[in-house]
Structures are given as structure tokens and as C-alpha cells.
Amino acid sequence: MNRSDGHAALRRTLAVILALLTLISSFFLSPYRNEFALAEHLSTFLVASQLPQLKNTDADKDTSPFSLLTALAIHDSPLLVRNYQKIQALSQKDMPPAPPSKNEPNTETHEGTMIDPTDQTMPDLVIDSDNGVPAKTIHPTNPAGYLVWKDVYIKNTTNYAPNLEKLMSSRPAARFTDDMPQVLILHTHGTEAYTMPKGQASEAVTNARSHDTNYNVVRIGDEIANVFEEAGISVLHDRTLHDAAGYSDAYDRAEKAIAAYLKRYPSIHFVLDIHRDAIEDSKGNSYKVISQVNGNNAAQLSIVVGSDGSGLPHEHWQENLKLAVLLQQRLTEAYPTLMRPMYLRNSRYNEHATTGSLLVEVGAAGNSLDEAVYAARLFAEKAVEVFQSLA
């Protein structure tokens, strides 16, 4: 047996052991939040253990890159499906899975959304694409698999089942006051950038990452801040690239920054963490997500709401959810396809800081900067209305 065969055999053995441990821990320990996080980690290692097979598998073949036991475990476990998609998205970027943060042990990636190949409701759009990336509009109309309130669709990957009718029967806890500053904007993953048209800033943007704040999501934060300030809202915009020193610890650094701002400025009740997504199909092809508004292409947005499902304290996550649903409904009424489905997840994404904390993804890596900037302005105009209504 040569060395590569030995490594493959070792991976298969490890996969079998981890599959059994994952299924056992999921069955016996899922009622307990902290132990459920253990099952989550085991599932990640299970899928990662066979990642070399996944990367070397022909995407056009019907054969599975996994062993039979692993394939069956993935098929029967939503937890494993979620981690399969996470690891696969990372593998397509030639990135190793990021180690879990010490403060956020169960941070689920939100960069790496996989388009469901069986979903026939999302045909490619025929648009004038300035950067050559194919486009889709993600706009569910079937409530199956979603939590739904009015026009708001929520993809729920937690064990919770919030009663949206009851939740939305009262106003959010976040309050808009005359004290200043009122809003904090920051970027946990500030280097996230977009796909520029040919010949534009190619030296500044590599693999949809950039340290140049004219081209990454900091520019999107600038646009949102401008809209707020035009409306008379006092904003602090933290333009720090919290992921520049390391992607996996970015939430730790952002958490410290948020805490420092709130200590110095207790008037801040709304915290917006601005990101962008990365959307691919099952073959690794990048897509942009588009909503056509007033004859122009706007990047679609999505809101990610965290919870205490990871085991970390987050007592008011449903207040964040309430604010997010109220804002998304207002946006959808004005621009029916601007918002992608909302995500409710186990990780808290530093949203425990205030009752008005939201993570907002503006477009995807395949979108152009202009599409994202336009979307950011549309989003901010409605956010102004919602925030001021909470005075």
C-alpha cells in the first residue's frame, strides 16, 4: 500500500468513526444546547475528513464522493447537510475550514450560499451585466421550508420555531432617541469585495477580496452612512478591516470594537454589521443576485439573525428578529424582489450587543460594486423610516 492509499484508508476509517459519533451525539444530545454544538463540530470534521475525495470528484458524475456510511449520514441529517455545504463552499475557494472562534464556538459561515440545483424557480436572468457574471433573482413563492410572516420568508436552521404572529404583535424593543450618535456601522469581514467590470480596479480586487476601502464592503457602509446622515441620523462608521489580521478571529475583534463603542456612546441602539455573500451553484460557478428596481440592477440583500442556539448567551435574539422582520417587510413592500430570504441561525454574530443589531449581506461576490452601492442606498432609505418610527 502506497502512502496516498494509506491516507485514503485512514480518512475512510476516521469518517466511519466520526459518522457514528455524530449520529449518536445528535440523537441523544440534541435536547441540550451545548452538547448539540458538539455534534455540529463532529459533523464538520466528518465532512472535512473526506474533503480530498470531494475536490477530486467529477461534478458531472452521479457517483457520490463519500463513503456509503457518510453519504447516508449526510442524507438523513440536516446538520450534516449544512456542514457539507459549508465545507464544500470553502473547498471551492481553496481555503481550509476556519477554526472556530473562542468566543463564538459555532459561527456558521454565511459566505458560501449554495444554489439548490433542483430549484426551478430561479432561471438565469437576461440582463445587461457589466461584469459578465450570470445573474439570478432569488425570490421564493412557496412557503414550504420557510417561516413566513406576510411577505417575509425566513430560512430557519435553528431548533427554535418562533411564533411570528405573536412576535410581531408588539413593537421591537430597540428605541430611536434624540441622543447622539444613534447608529453604529461596522464590518466584521471588511475585506469582502465584489467582481469589478473588466479593466476596473483589477489590481485592487483579487478573488473578491480587497484591502482598498473604495472597493470592499466598507464602501457599502459609507453609502448607508451617507443616507442616514442625509436624513439627520447620527452615525459612527467603523471602517476597520477586522478580518485583515485573520478571518477566523474577526468576530472576536469586532465584538471588542462594538463593546468599546457602546461603552463610550451609550446612545447607540442600532448596530449594523455589513457583509456580502458568495453564491455558487453545485459546480462552483459564481452568480450575482439581482433585483431590477426603477430600470436599474440592484444587488439583492439578505438579513442574518443570530440566536443563542450555539450555547452562548443571547437573551434578546427574538427582539433582533422582530426588528429584522419589520424592516424586511417594509423593504419588500417597496421593492418586492430586493430582499432574499432572511436567515435565522444558531450563532449570535455579535448581535447580543443591542436589541437593534443586524447582520446585513449586500449582494454577493459576483455582483458589481455599482449594483451593491445602489442596493445599499435603497436599503438605508427604508431603514431610516423604520428606525425613526421606533422613537
Side-chain angles (χ1 to χ4, degrees), residues 109-376:
T109 181
H110 50 270
E111 183 189 356
T113 299
M114 185 73 65
I115 294 176
D116 184 353
T118 65
D119 190 341
Q120 302 302 316
T121 66
M122 296 185 294
D124 287 5
L125 293 177
V126 179
I127 63 170
D128 183 14
S129 177
D130 59 352
N131 63 0
V133 179
K136 289 183 180 290
T137 297
I138 299 177
H139 181 60
T141 56
N142 186 339
Y146 294 95
L147 298 175
V148 180
W149 186 77
K150 293 186 177 180
D151 301 314
V152 176
Y153 284 68
I154 304 172
K155 196 69 174 177
N156 180 15
T157 60
T158 73
N159 287 332
Y160 294 111
N163 185 329
L164 294 179
E165 289 298 329
K166 181 178 180 180
L167 186 71
M168 300 308 296
S169 64
S170 60
R171 58 173 284 167
R175 293 291 183 268
F176 184 84
T177 69
D178 292 332
D179 297 330
M180 298 182 184
Q182 296 151 315
V183 177
L184 171 64
I185 298 172
L186 79 155
H187 310 275
T188 297
H189 296 152
T191 67
E192 291 176 336
Y194 299 89
T195 301
M196 303 300 296
K198 188 176 181 180
Q200 293 187 27
S202 58
E203 72 284 354
V205 180
T206 304
N207 296 325
R209 296 277 175 180
S210 177
H211 285 72
D212 189 330
T213 55
N214 292 308
Y215 300 105
N216 59 31
V217 291
V218 175
R219 170 67 183 89
I220 306 306
D222 287 338
E223 191 70 15
I224 295 173
N226 289 340
V227 173
F228 285 166
E229 289 169 350
E230 290 166 6
I233 295 177
S234 177
V235 181
L236 290 179
H237 184 195
D238 180 358
R239 304 177 84 251
T240 305
L241 305 180
H242 291 288
D243 61 336
Y247 194 84
S248 63
D249 294 330
Y251 277 100
D252 298 338
R253 288 186 286 274
E255 181 180 27
K256 293 176 183 177
I258 293 170
Y261 278 111
L262 295 180
K263 182 177 181 180
R264 185 172 181 181
Y265 305 106
S267 58
I268 294 173
H269 296 288
F270 299 92
V271 179
L272 300 179
D273 190 357
I274 306 301
H275 296 244
R276 62 111 178 101
D277 202 354
I279 299 178
E280 299 176 340
D281 64 16
S282 59
K283 297 183 180 180
N285 300 311
S286 180
Y287 277 84
K288 65 169 67 182
V289 281
I290 289 293
S291 173
Q292 294 181 304
V293 179
N294 300 323
N296 297 309
N297 293 332
Q300 286 188 295
L301 303 94
S302 61
I303 299 175
V304 179
V305 177
S307 71
D308 60 359
S310 68
L312 293 178
H314 185 4
E315 296 178 356
H316 58 255
W317 66 266
Q318 293 200 60
E319 292 299 332
N320 292 142
L321 176 60
K322 189 185 301 185
L323 175 63
V325 171
L326 182 65
L327 177 55
Q328 179 137 337
Q329 179 62 26
R330 185 73 62 91
L331 282 157
T332 304
E333 288 171 354
Y335 314 111
T337 63
L338 182 63
M339 302 302 295
R340 291 166 51 201
M342 187 184 302
Y343 290 92
L344 176 60
R345 290 181 169 167
N346 287 314
S347 299
R348 63 183 186 179
Y349 302 111
N350 291 331
E351 292 174 7
H352 61 293
T354 72
T355 56
S357 296
L358 300 175
L359 190 156
V360 183
E361 295 178 325
V362 183
N367 283 98
S368 70
L369 179 65
D370 288 345
E371 293 162 349
V373 169
Y374 181 41

